[in-house]
Amino acid sequence: MSERPIECSQCKRPTKVLYKEILGDTINCTAMCTSCPVLQAKLHGEASKTEKKGEVCCGSCGTSLESVQMGQPVGCVECYTVFNDFLIGDFIAAGAIPPALQKKLAAERSQAIHIGKSPNQPADITLSSRLASLGEALNEALKRENYEQAALLRDQIKTLTEKQK
């Protein structure tokens, strides 16, 4: 048996499903991720793929949810609002959002996520809260065994503690 592909043949995410289609004497094997729209169309019939009227699209640039799910970049700033729920779910699944922020998101699901400084406004983050958030991010990076990111975070913590003295 051949080795199983590690990324979806449709949208290049990690593969979870090996879809086999048997047509007569021909067996077609396709490796896909669980959220792949092509897999959903195959499982629920081709009607879901051809129903373009019911598809979610950005009103500004015309980018569709299906193209974002396939790994295409969003087309404009408005896409982040239109595809908010999908993008947040995708970030949570990828482990890109820290657990403390995930709890905040669950409580305030309708509000947009913003971390950092807004233009023309001073950052009102205290040094102690900045150190605490960097420490949490460092622990998360170590749990995921992302040592490069952990080293960068360690250096930031070291710089901040030296400034505090």
Side-chain angles (χ1 to χ4, degrees):
M1 183 168 177
S2 64
E3 191 172 314
R4 188 172 173 179
I6 43 179
E7 61 182 30
C8 179
S9 59
Q10 304 298 319
C11 61
K12 307 302 179 210
R13 291 199 178 119
T15 185
K16 302 281 185 192
V17 177
L18 185 62
Y19 182 84
K20 288 186 180 183
E21 197 171 37
I22 302 172
L23 300 170
D25 293 337
T26 309
I27 300 175
N28 295 325
C29 294
T30 310
M32 296 183 210
C33 63
T34 55
S35 62
C36 187
V38 174
L39 175 66
Q40 298 303 320
K42 288 182 182 274
L43 292 176
H44 302 294
E46 289 297 317
S48 65
K49 192 166 184 156
T50 58
E51 288 177 0
K52 294 291 181 186
K53 292 179 183 176
E55 186 176 288
V56 177
C57 292
C58 176
S60 297
C61 66
T63 302
S64 68
L65 176 61
E66 182 178 354
S67 66
V68 173
Q69 288 174 331
M70 295 287 279
Q72 296 295 321
V74 293
C76 67
V77 175
E78 202 58 37
C79 288
Y80 291 102
T81 305
V82 175
F83 306 126
N84 184 29
D85 290 337
F86 170 75
L87 292 172
I88 290 173
D90 215 23
F91 290 148
I92 290 172
I97 298 179
L101 187 56
Q102 287 180 23
K103 291 175 187 174
K104 183 179 177 185
L105 283 174
E108 304 169 2
R109 189 65 177 188
S110 63
Q111 295 193 1
I113 302 173
H114 177 75
I115 302 173
K117 181 181 166 189
S118 296
N120 301 326
Q121 293 181 353
D124 56 346
I125 301 172
T126 63
L127 185 61
S128 61
S129 65
R130 178 76 177 143
L131 285 171
S133 65
L134 284 172
E136 183 179 327
L138 177 63
N139 290 335
E140 286 296 316
L142 290 172
K143 283 181 187 174
R144 290 189 312 252
E145 296 182 3
N146 187 350
Y147 299 116
E148 292 176 9
Q149 180 70 25
L152 291 172
L153 292 167
R154 178 204 61 210
D155 294 342
Q156 289 180 9
I157 291 170
K158 184 178 177 183
T159 304
L160 287 175
T161 53
E162 287 173 357
K163 283 183 182 178
Q164 190 178 22
K165 290 179 182 179

